[in-house]
């Protein structure tokens, strides 16, 4: 099998620009072989519960941005969240992902109580994805039992980050990722592919940043323009470039957890299946109550908003089996190799 050189930014940029289908196929096969060697054939299923679509930020690409008009805002109660967790556990999920916009009306006390209750009643892993918070809040949530925290950097290019995230700091985002690592979280980040103004060099820097920060979970998905944002009408990321980025992320970072994202499945009906064949080893089905799902519209056209939790679980299980893989039985922590 052909190996690929990925030591430098220039190496990665060259591979991102591959256009020959045979060469791209060889790159994907090599990434799949690295995945098999480093993390095995198991696919980890992680249930996402989107508990609030409120956000204090005004990111140019996001359908949850605070200035968006005409969106029905919601906040799930603690009991609703716990009921969704119970449903996830009954279906067999070993991880729940509690995700929201940057909604500071959920204070650290609220989130810590949820974590403690989940840890007390269920033997599962808890991932949080609820935005930027003070160091002390991350510390308290970790002490309450949170296992993982997901905070995507979106782009490693400071100028592009600043343009897309008015009022936010690129340096602060990276500092928070460092805090999370320091506090002992399995730390997740990620990037979007196809952002307006993004170059292959920018994408290569994203991949190298994942490696430099030793990120434990990496989400790579396409930019999908939302008509209710300032980027309406912009061309989106392509499935091919997302898959090349994912494959190179696997080759460079080796044993991180990398999901086959719902966003990729949105722009390509076979996107998640393709991702499983070029480096992905995680799928994150949606277990948000159906009455809220359509309102958590970060991007338009999201798949799996009308299916029941049972439907989603059966669908992804069948997807994993069809890919010649098996559903993981454990909690799915990244194994740090010495």
């Amino acid at each position: 099998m052909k190996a690929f050189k990925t030591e430098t930014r220039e190496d990665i940029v060259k591979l991102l620009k591959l256009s020959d289908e045979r060469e791209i196929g060889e790159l994907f096969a090599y990434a799949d072989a690295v995945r098999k060697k480093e993390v095995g054939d198991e696919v980890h299923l992680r249930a996402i519960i989107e508990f609030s679509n409120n956000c204090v930020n005004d990111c140019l690409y996001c359908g949850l941005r605070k200035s968006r008009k005409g969106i029905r805002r919601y906040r799930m109660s603690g009991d609703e969240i716990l009921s969704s967790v119970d449903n996830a556990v009954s279906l067999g999920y070993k991880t729940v992902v509690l995700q929201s916009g940057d909604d500071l009306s959920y204070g650290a006390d609220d989130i810590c109580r949820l974590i403690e209750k989940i840890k007390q009643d269920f033997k599962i892993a808890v991932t949080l994805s609820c935005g930027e918070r003070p160091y002390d809040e991350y510390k308290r949530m970790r002490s309450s039992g949170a296992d993982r925290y997901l905070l995507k950097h979106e782009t490693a290019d400071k100028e592009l980050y600043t343009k897309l995230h008015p009022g936010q700091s690129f340096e602060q985002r990276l500092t928070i990722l460092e805090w999370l690592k320091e506090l002992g979280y399995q730390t997740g980040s990620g990037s979007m592919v196809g952002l307006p103004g993004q170059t292959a060099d920018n994408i290569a820097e994203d991949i190298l940043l994942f490696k430099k920060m030793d990120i434990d979970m990496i989400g790579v998905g396409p930019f999908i323009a939302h008509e209710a944002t300032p980027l309406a009408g912009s061309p989106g990321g392509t499935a091919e470039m997302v898959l090349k980025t994912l494959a190179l992320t696997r080759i460079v970072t080796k044993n991180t957890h990398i999901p086959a994202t719902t966003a990729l499945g949105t722009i390509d009906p076979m996107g998640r299946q393709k991702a499983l064949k070029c480096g992905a080893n995680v799928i994150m089905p949606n277990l948000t109550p159906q009455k809220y799902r359509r309102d958590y519209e970060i991007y338009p056209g999201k798949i799996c908003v009308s299916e029941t939790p049972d439907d989603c679980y059966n669908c992804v299980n069948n997807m994993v089996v069809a890919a010649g893989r098996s559903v993981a039985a454990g909690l799915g922590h990244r194994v740090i190799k010495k």
Side-chain angles (χ1 to χ4, degrees):
M1 178 181 293
K2 181 178 178 180
F4 290 83
K5 186 176 177 226
T6 57
E7 279 75 25
T8 67
R9 179 174 56 82
E10 290 73 21
D11 293 334
I12 296 170
V13 168
K14 180 179 178 180
L15 294 171
L16 286 168
K17 292 181 176 180
L18 287 178
S19 58
D20 181 83
E21 288 188 13
R22 179 185 59 81
E23 290 183 313
I24 294 171
E26 290 175 341
L27 176 68
F28 290 172
Y30 181 59
D32 194 49
V34 173
R35 184 272 309 157
K36 185 177 182 68
K37 175 185 176 184
E38 297 291 341
V39 297
D41 285 333
E42 289 187 331
V43 177
H44 301 277
L45 305 185
R46 297 177 173 171
I48 296 182
I49 300 167
E50 299 156 335
F51 64 90
S52 171
N53 70 347
N54 290 268
C55 191
V56 300
N57 294 319
D58 222 14
C59 304
L60 268 60
Y61 53 81
C62 184
L64 304 187
R65 64 197 313 262
K66 68 177 181 181
S67 64
R68 180 184 172 188
K69 307 299 182 183
I71 181 174
R72 185 176 72 98
R73 301 288 181 177
Y74 72 87
R75 292 186 175 100
M76 289 173 62
S77 69
D79 286 344
E80 285 180 302
I81 295 170
L82 291 171
S83 177
S84 296
V85 173
D86 183 68
N87 192 17
V89 173
S90 69
L91 287 169
Y93 291 98
K94 305 300 182 183
T95 294
V96 291
V97 182
L98 304 183
Q99 181 169 292
S100 70
D102 283 36
D103 184 357
L104 303 182
S105 68
Y106 288 94
D109 289 344
D110 303 312
I111 295 174
C112 287
R113 279 194 296 268
L114 277 171
I115 297 166
E116 289 163 3
K117 181 66 173 172
I118 293 168
K119 284 296 190 176
Q120 175 184 314
D121 293 352
F122 310 105
K123 305 302 180 184
I124 60 172
V126 175
T127 299
L128 301 175
S129 180
C130 42
E132 294 190 354
R133 290 174 177 263
Y135 179 89
D136 181 64
E137 292 195 14
Y138 293 125
K139 184 176 181 179
R140 290 174 59 197
M141 292 186 287
R142 175 67 181 142
S143 296
S144 293
D147 300 281
R148 309 177 187 132
Y149 202 100
L150 173 60
L151 186 70
K152 293 183 178 180
H153 72 264
E154 306 296 9
T155 175
D157 181 84
K158 179 181 177 180
E159 182 178 345
L160 184 56
Y161 182 95
T162 302
K163 180 180 179 181
L164 294 171
H165 302 84
Q168 297 181 66
S169 163
F170 177 69
E171 289 82 4
Q172 178 67 7
R173 181 61 56 111
L174 297 189
T175 295
I176 292 174
L177 288 170
E178 291 171 353
W179 289 349
L180 295 169
K181 294 288 289 186
E182 173 191 320
L183 288 167
Y185 285 96
Q186 294 245 322
T187 301
S189 189
S191 62
M192 282 191 288
V193 173
L195 288 163
Q198 185 184 60
T199 67
D201 287 75
N202 296 149
I203 297 172
E205 290 297 337
D206 287 325
I207 296 170
L208 292 172
L209 181 62
F210 295 142
K211 180 180 181 181
K212 178 183 177 181
M213 299 195 75
D214 192 25
I215 296 297
D216 302 298
M217 308 174 291
I218 299 169
V220 174
F223 162 68
I224 304 174
H226 196 296
E227 66 277 3
T229 71
L231 298 183
S234 301
T238 66
E240 181 179 284
M241 185 58 80
V242 172
L243 291 167
K244 285 192 285 188
T245 304
L246 190 154
L248 288 163
T249 298
R250 170 60 67 199
I251 294 166
V252 170
T253 64
K254 301 191 184 306
N255 73 331
T256 52
H257 287 309
I258 302 176
T261 65
T262 301
L264 179 57
T266 297
I267 66 168
D268 181 341
M270 294 297 291
R272 290 183 293 178
Q273 291 89 331
K274 292 175 182 177
L276 288 175
K277 295 183 178 180
C278 66
N281 71 319
V282 173
I283 301 178
M284 303 173 74
N286 192 338
L287 261 77
T288 307
Q290 284 176 290
K291 65 179 178 179
Y292 299 126
R293 283 195 202 179
R294 292 187 183 278
D295 298 314
Y296 200 86
E297 194 187 56
I298 294 176
Y299 55 86
K302 185 164 69 169
I303 59 173
C304 305
V305 295
S306 59
E307 287 80 359
T308 67
D310 295 68
D311 291 337
C312 289
Y313 189 76
N314 292 330
C315 173
V316 296
N317 267 273
N318 292 336
M319 191 185 300
V320 170
V321 171
R325 310 272 284 280
S326 60
V327 173
L331 296 182
H333 295 310
R334 180 188 178 199
V335 177
I336 305 299
K337 298 185 176 181
K338 302 296 183 182

